């Protein structure tokens, strides 16, 4: 019996992809877990392994084809093709519970500091309570979702990935899961702490507790009022009427960029606030210590200091480290600080995330950001590296420009932009005879969701960032 291999649900809102390379041909003998396809999604290039051992009887795709989840890609013959027996595990009820192969390997040439307009960030990770880990005793059907680096680690440690519970999005098996399994302890998974009832809500002794009342959905009229309405879009004219044209397919990262920016711009009422930081002393501090940081394997750029200053401002103004849940009509305040850094690439902008920035020193961040850049160049950045951001920083300064209006990285609430820092004449003091001195100035722009924060909030946020940047001692103390 022929066995069809369909494009699996790759999770994270990925519904389609472009075939980059077909690694097998009709008649090839394929072993289980052998790579058979490279598919480029809007977030990364995914190397998909075979779920079967058998012979390829039909290849239904070629490089450049656009495919959707569920499309048949390759057909295997039935003789000995089954890699594992059928299981009685019930089918998942939701897309979040589906467990399919996710192999995220996409790196691109990088510029550490680049504008976030057009950035192609990954979709937000599902909530922890919706992500189901596969218990060690349960045998998966189909390939194990894990990156090539995780698979390599499993081989080195002698771990069978089929037995490892996945703690990542959609059951993704991470390197931490493999190490924990090898040490004989399951990886911990985040779980929401159940809310404790108040004293007034607790049932008196001897009285049977009534079942909880189901949550009522937000009224449709209230929800729709928080979302911009769609408008009719006229058809494009025939441009060939005026001259020769060339049509280039909108695909991969660029297509994701278009969709994500249209989503962000249509759903978020954008407002921007701009100010200038005098970073003369900070620049002297940076020049003094950059060689020592370089010896430790890092790069001490202005972005590192802005990262730290932003953390202090986010702690003082938590609504900038949030998301708006329109359906629940709630502001989700995040108690962790994962900062996305916009990265320019040949394919478009990506936003890898540095996690727990508040727990790391300037030196540690200098090394980590440099390593993230190098992993991106080496095509080792994964989908995991693009998830979980709470706030974004974008710096097109090295490319020029004195100001710009960044687009908020949905579903975040704000983005901090850095324009070009430069030496400029500044009047010190007041009056017609006040001296003019040369100072190193850094323009900063905060763009924000006006549904969650106001202009006065943005002014206070940016003022605190500037206050910290203008005093290196305060930066080291407060951040």
């Amino acid at each position: 019996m022929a066995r069809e291999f369909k494009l699996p649900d790759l999770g994270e809102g990925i519904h389609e992809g472009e075939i980059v390379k077909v690694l097998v041909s009709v008649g090839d003998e394929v072993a289980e877990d052998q790579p058979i396809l490279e598919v480029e999604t809007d977030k990364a290039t995914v190397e998909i392994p075979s779920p079967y051992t058998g012979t390829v009887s039909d290849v239904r795709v070629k490089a450049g084809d656009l495919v959707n989840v569920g499309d048949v890609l390759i057909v295997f013959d039935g003789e000995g093709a089954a890699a594992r027996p059928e299981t009685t595990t019930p089918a998942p009820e939701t897309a979040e519970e589906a467990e399919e192969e996710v192999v995220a390997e996409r790196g691109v040439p990088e510029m550490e500091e680049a504008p976030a307009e057009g950035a192609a960030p990954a979709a937000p990770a599902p909530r922890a309570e919706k992500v189901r880990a596969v218990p060690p005793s349960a045998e998966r059907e189909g390939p194990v979702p894990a990156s090539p680096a995780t698979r390599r680690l499993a081989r080195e440690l002698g771990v069978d990935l089929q037995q490892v519970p996945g703690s990542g999005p959609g059951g993704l098996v991470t390197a931490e899961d493999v190490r924990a399994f090898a040490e004989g302890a399951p990886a911990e998974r985040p779980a929401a702490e159940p809310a404790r009832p108040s004293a007034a809500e607790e049932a008196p002794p001897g009285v049977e507790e009534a079942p909880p009342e189901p949550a009522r959905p937000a009224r449709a009229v209230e929800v729709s009022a928080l979302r911009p309405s769609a408008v009719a879009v006229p058809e494009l004219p025939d441009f060939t009427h005026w001259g020769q044209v060339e049509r280039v397919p909108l695909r991969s990262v660029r297509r994701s960029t278009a969709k994500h920016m249209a989503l962000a711009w249509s759903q978020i009422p954008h407002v921007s606030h701009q100010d200038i930081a005098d970073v003369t002393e900070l620049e002297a501090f940076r020049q003094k210590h950059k060689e020592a940081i370089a010896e430790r394997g890092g790069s001490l750029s202005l972005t590192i200091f802005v990262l730290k200053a932003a953390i202090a401002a986010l702690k003082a103004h938590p609504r900038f480290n949030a998301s708006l849940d329109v359906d629940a009509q709630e502001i989700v305040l995040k108690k962790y600080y994962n900062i996305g850094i916009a990265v320019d690439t040949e394919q478009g902008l990506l936003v890898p995330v540095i996690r727990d920035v508040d727990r790391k020193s300037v030196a540690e961040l200098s090394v980590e950001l440099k390593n993230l850049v190098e992993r991106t160049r080496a095509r080792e950045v994964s989908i995991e590296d693009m998830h979980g951001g709470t706030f974004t920083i974008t710096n097109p300064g090295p490319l020029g420009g004195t100001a710009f209006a960044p687009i908020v990285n949905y579903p975040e609430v704000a983005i901090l932009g850095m324009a070009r820092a430069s030496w400029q004449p500044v009047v010190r003091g007041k009056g017609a005879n006040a001296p003019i001195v040369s100072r190193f100035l850094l323009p900063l722009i905060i763009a924000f969701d006006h549904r969650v924060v106001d202009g006065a909030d943005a002014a206070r946020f940016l003022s605190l960032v500037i206050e910290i940047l203008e005093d290196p001692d305060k930066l080291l103390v407060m951040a």
Side-chain angles (χ1 to χ4, degrees), residues 90-152:
E93 296 180 359
T94 66
E96 289 86 352
E97 294 178 345
E99 292 161 2
E100 302 288 353
E101 171 66 359
V102 180
V103 183
E105 285 294 304
R106 184 55 161 183
V108 285
E110 179 278 345
M111 283 194 63
E112 171 194 323
E113 299 145 334
E117 301 91 339
R127 296 176 181 175
E129 64 268 22
K130 291 185 179 181
V131 178
R132 183 185 65 182
V134 180
S137 59
E139 191 170 350
R140 295 179 177 87
E141 182 175 4
V144 178
S147 71
T150 300
R151 292 177 179 277
R152 182 167 55 252

Side-chain angles (χ1 to χ4, degrees), residues 37-200:
L37 290 167
E38 288 184 8
V39 179
E40 186 174 46
T41 71
D42 55 12
K43 299 178 180 69
T45 291
V46 179
E47 185 184 75
I48 301 182
S50 171
Y52 311 124
T53 295
T55 304
V56 177
S57 60
D58 190 12
V59 178
R60 300 188 179 179
V61 292
K62 63 182 182 301
D65 286 353
L66 289 177
V67 293
N68 297 312
V69 170
D71 288 351
V72 177
L73 309 180
I74 294 178
V75 180
F76 297 84
D77 66 17
E79 299 179 4
R84 53 184 68 89
E86 297 294 331
T87 67
T88 57
T89 304
E93 296 180 359
T94 66
E96 289 86 352
E97 294 178 345
E99 292 161 2
E100 302 288 353
E101 171 66 359
V102 180
V103 183
E105 285 294 304
R106 184 55 161 183
V108 285
E110 179 278 345
M111 283 194 63
E112 171 194 323
E113 299 145 334
E117 301 91 339
R127 296 176 181 175
E129 64 268 22
K130 291 185 179 181
V131 178
R132 183 185 65 182
V134 180
S137 59
E139 191 170 350
R140 295 179 177 87
E141 182 175 4
V144 178
S147 71
T150 300
R151 292 177 179 277
R152 182 167 55 252
L153 176 63
R155 289 194 296 270
E156 293 172 354
L157 298 179
V159 171
D160 180 6
L161 283 177
Q162 286 291 333
Q163 302 301 316
V164 180
S167 65
L172 178 72
V173 176
T174 66
E176 289 73 18
D177 296 330
V178 173
R179 293 189 185 96
F181 187 85
E183 296 171 358
E188 294 183 359
R189 297 174 55 77
E193 181 179 352
R196 294 177 58 87
S198 64

